[in-house]
Amino acid sequence: MHNQPTIESLTKQAIQDRRHLHQYPELSGEEFETCEMIRERLEHLGIEILDYARPSIIGFVKGTSGAKTLALRADIDALPIQEEGDLPYASTRPGISHMCGHDGHTAVLLAVAEWLAANKANVQPNVYLIFQSAEEISPSGAQALVAQGILDTVDAVFGLHLWQGLKKGTFGLTHGPMMASIDDFEVTITGSGGHGSSPHEAVDPIYISTHVIQAFQNIISQKLNPLEAGIITVGKIEAGSTANVIPTTAKLIGTIRALTPTAVTTIKQQIVQMSEGICQAFGATAEVEFIVGTPPLVNDETQARFVEQVLVDTFGEARVQLVDPTMGGEDFAYYLEKKPGAYLFVGMEGEVSAYPHHHPKFNIDEEVIPDAIRVFIEILKQFKEDAQ
């Protein structure tokens, strides 16, 4: 390897990479150009590329001892959102843009790959560099990689998110649940239709649906352990076609969020029980379907404390905080379901990054990129194989 890269040189390259990726975004499962760019870069650095299904791409670097193996992950997909704003490197693809920050995550991990290629002698564990497709959809890219055995020989896995919801210059993590599960549901209530003037001759699924929705709130307040967070939101109701006809069916469509696997199980069981029981009482039937998304993202306490110590040692205690979990979801949860590890937020909320994730005017504050690069590098340097 040629010159020893500095944080400054790595940052300069990362910003250049991020802006290129921002101009040429690709949707989940379609990131073949992005994948090709990463492949060329890793090959140029002399990093081995493992045999996993595209458009995810996995690099591998052997450590000095190789007794343990770490994985670092970046998500590479964009969103079906039309970018607004006037960035000189704005998306060139109508209706597709990096409005979540994955362009930044990819650029950061490419910078870490460059550092790693030049510093193999300073890293004990083996390292997987996971550039993961399809974080934004379900079934997700993480789920697919776990199914392919990506973590079979991995001892710990780490990820980060450039996070608009946290003040610039700070870092946030938890010692347990960090982000919520995401599952959607559809409840189809079948009664019997009739004329609006003769409700006694029909079984009205719209009326019944109001009772079912009310009962869902009872699940959160009465059935869930009050120390566990959960949400049931009915976001869409489909029923009826005109004012004076009682329809045969009504459909409730909504989402469930929870911070623990136990809470997810409780909520799902209760949705089925309440829906079927209430409908039966009114002479109707209920059919419940779950569209399973990501599980809760739960940091391993040991690895989270290790990352917290790395952050404190590197950036100072004042810049590190334990944050409240967020009810948004993230498919990094699939990795943490399988192996210990930790996920953290690199805060960037401020004048440059003023709009939330998935907003058409969302933007990364590139000034936080060097901190994100340093986090991953320090995790690799400070991971003690015998202490973990």
Side-chain angles (χ1 to χ4, degrees), residues 12-85:
K12 188 177 176 185
Q13 181 65 56
I15 289 172
Q16 192 178 315
D17 289 341
R18 181 253 159 170
R19 292 182 177 189
H20 171 82
L21 292 163
H22 196 88
Q23 284 183 285
Y24 302 102
E26 295 175 290
L27 292 175
S28 307
E30 300 173 13
E31 312 94 324
F32 292 100
E33 284 178 27
T34 305
C35 187
E36 184 60 19
M37 172 197 161
I38 296 164
R39 183 192 64 76
E40 286 178 7
R41 183 68 59 79
L42 295 180
E43 285 183 348
H44 174 72
L45 293 169
I47 291 175
E48 181 185 352
I49 293 169
L50 302 179
D51 187 21
Y52 285 89
R54 305 295 163 91
S56 291
I57 186 157
I58 317 299
F60 177 75
V61 178
K62 190 153 181 55
T64 53
S65 81
K68 293 277 178 80
T69 300
L70 303 189
L72 304 179
R73 176 275 211 155
D75 33 20
I76 67 175
D77 53 332
L79 286 157
I81 295 173
Q82 178 63 45
E83 182 172 6
E84 296 174 11

Side-chain angles (χ1 to χ4, degrees), residues 68-126:
K68 293 277 178 80
T69 300
L70 303 189
L72 304 179
R73 176 275 211 155
D75 33 20
I76 67 175
D77 53 332
L79 286 157
I81 295 173
Q82 178 63 45
E83 182 172 6
E84 296 174 11
D86 52 3
L87 293 177
Y89 48 88
S91 171
T92 59
R93 294 178 173 160
I96 305 175
S97 57
H98 272 291
M99 292 295 103
C100 196
H102 298 183
D103 49 344
H105 302 166
T106 305
V108 164
L109 195 57
L110 281 171
V112 174
E114 185 174 335
W115 178 87
L116 196 53
N119 288 275
K120 292 177 184 175
N122 298 331
V123 176
Q124 284 186 7
N126 304 319

Side-chain angles (χ1 to χ4, degrees), residues 344-384:
L344 71 139
F345 294 152
V346 179
M348 62 178 181
E349 189 274 321
E351 195 176 332
V352 174
S353 191
Y355 294 91
H357 298 270
H358 295 212
H359 189 282
K361 291 184 178 174
F362 169 84
N363 191 21
I364 283 173
D365 189 333
E366 292 175 337
E367 289 185 2
V368 308
I369 285 177
D371 285 352
I373 295 169
R374 284 181 73 194
V375 170
F376 271 163
I377 289 174
E378 291 301 325
I379 285 172
L380 294 179
K381 283 163 68 175
Q382 296 185 39
F383 190 88
K384 299 291 184 282

Side-chain angles (χ1 to χ4, degrees), residues 124-181:
Q124 284 186 7
N126 304 319
V127 182
Y128 278 82
L129 300 166
I130 301 175
F131 294 89
Q132 178 215 305
S133 159
E135 189 276 327
E136 296 286 359
I137 63 168
S138 185
S140 82
Q143 195 176 6
L145 284 171
V146 168
Q148 290 170 54
I150 188 77
L151 297 183
D152 287 358
T153 60
V154 168
D155 296 287
V157 58
F158 301 98
L160 59 77
H161 206 307
L162 303 175
W163 196 247
Q164 194 277 332
L166 189 64
K167 189 180 164 195
K168 181 179 172 180
T170 62
F171 302 88
L173 79 167
T174 65
H175 294 159
M178 176 100 168
M179 299 181 79
S181 59

